[in-house]
């Protein structure tokens, strides 16, 4: 089922920065307020950690919104080697998102996945406990 939501022009460009540049650890996307486009919400900056990423995702849930994200999951963040696995995350909090948000994010997922080609795995997270570095690494095995 398709929602008719379109992809903004810079979605692919920011994804490529995470995929090939290795300076940006993640990109977070959201469905715009007009409910017609998927747009870039935040591009992670060099030096940001998983916890920075997680806090941004949790803040979206607190406002009752879902998010899509691509995260460069590096096994050892302290290592100089920043090559990891790209993971596509669908974040829709069961407790904080209403049914309309859940349906909209679920039905628009295929559109953004087509724009973000080359990630290793897709993960659905619906609870804060699933959005931890330990849990994501476990799901990537």
């Amino acid at each position: 089922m398709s929602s008719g939501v379109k992809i903004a022009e810079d979605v692919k460009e920011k994804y490529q920065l995470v995929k090939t540049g290795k300076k940006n650890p993640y990109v977070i996307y959201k469905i715009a307020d007009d409910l017609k486009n998927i747009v870039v919400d935040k591009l992670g900056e060099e030096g940001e950690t998983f916890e920075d990423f997680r806090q941004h995702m949790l803040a979206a849930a607190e406002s009752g919104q879902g998010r899509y994200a691509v995260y460069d999951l590096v096994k050892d963040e302290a290592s100089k080697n920043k090559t990891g696995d790209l993971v596509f995350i669908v974040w829709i909090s069961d407790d904080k998102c209403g049914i309309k948000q859940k349906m909209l994010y679920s039905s628009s997922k295929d559109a953004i996945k087509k724009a973000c080609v080359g990630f290793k795995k897709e993960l659905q997270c619906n609870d804060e406990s699933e959005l931890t570095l330990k849990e994501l690494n476990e799901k990537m095995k």
Side-chain angles (χ1 to χ4, degrees):
M1 181 172 98
S2 173
S3 65
V5 172
K6 304 216 183 315
I7 303 296
E9 288 185 28
D10 65 340
V11 165
K12 288 181 184 178
E13 173 191 327
K14 300 299 189 231
Y15 170 70
Q16 288 300 320
L17 288 174
V18 174
K19 183 179 177 183
T20 60
K22 300 300 177 192
K23 289 183 180 178
N24 308 95
Y26 64 87
V27 60
I28 300 173
Y29 303 103
K30 69 177 186 173
I31 296 177
D33 294 337
D34 66 4
L35 306 180
K36 294 181 180 178
N37 293 292
I38 296 174
V39 298
V40 174
D41 183 35
K42 178 166 180 22
L43 178 65
E45 297 295 325
E46 187 171 15
E48 285 191 73
T49 65
F50 181 81
E51 194 55 36
D52 298 321
F53 165 77
R54 184 175 192 271
Q55 289 308 313
H56 195 80
M57 297 289 270
L58 294 177
E62 286 300 321
S63 65
Q65 298 180 347
R67 288 293 186 268
Y68 304 110
V70 175
Y71 191 86
D72 190 4
L73 193 59
V74 178
K75 299 232 186 297
D76 179 10
E77 287 196 350
S79 168
K80 297 253 186 248
N81 182 6
K82 294 296 181 188
T83 303
D85 294 325
L86 288 181
V87 57
F88 179 81
I89 300 169
V90 180
W91 168 239
I92 308 170
S93 173
D94 279 342
D95 297 336
K96 300 190 169 101
C97 292
I99 191 73
K100 185 176 180 178
Q101 276 285 310
K102 291 176 185 178
M103 290 179 67
L104 189 58
Y105 272 82
S106 294
S107 62
S108 303
K109 178 176 65 172
D110 284 343
I112 190 155
K113 281 175 51 180
K114 288 178 185 171
C116 300
V117 176
F119 56 87
K120 184 172 183 177
K121 196 167 194 176
E122 174 188 336
L123 300 177
Q124 175 89 30
C125 297
N126 299 98
D127 185 81
E128 289 182 30
S129 65
E130 296 174 322
L131 197 59
T132 65
L133 198 52
K134 180 182 177 186
E135 192 69 26
L136 293 181
N137 276 315
E138 199 59 38
K139 290 180 178 181
M140 289 298 286
K141 291 181 181 178

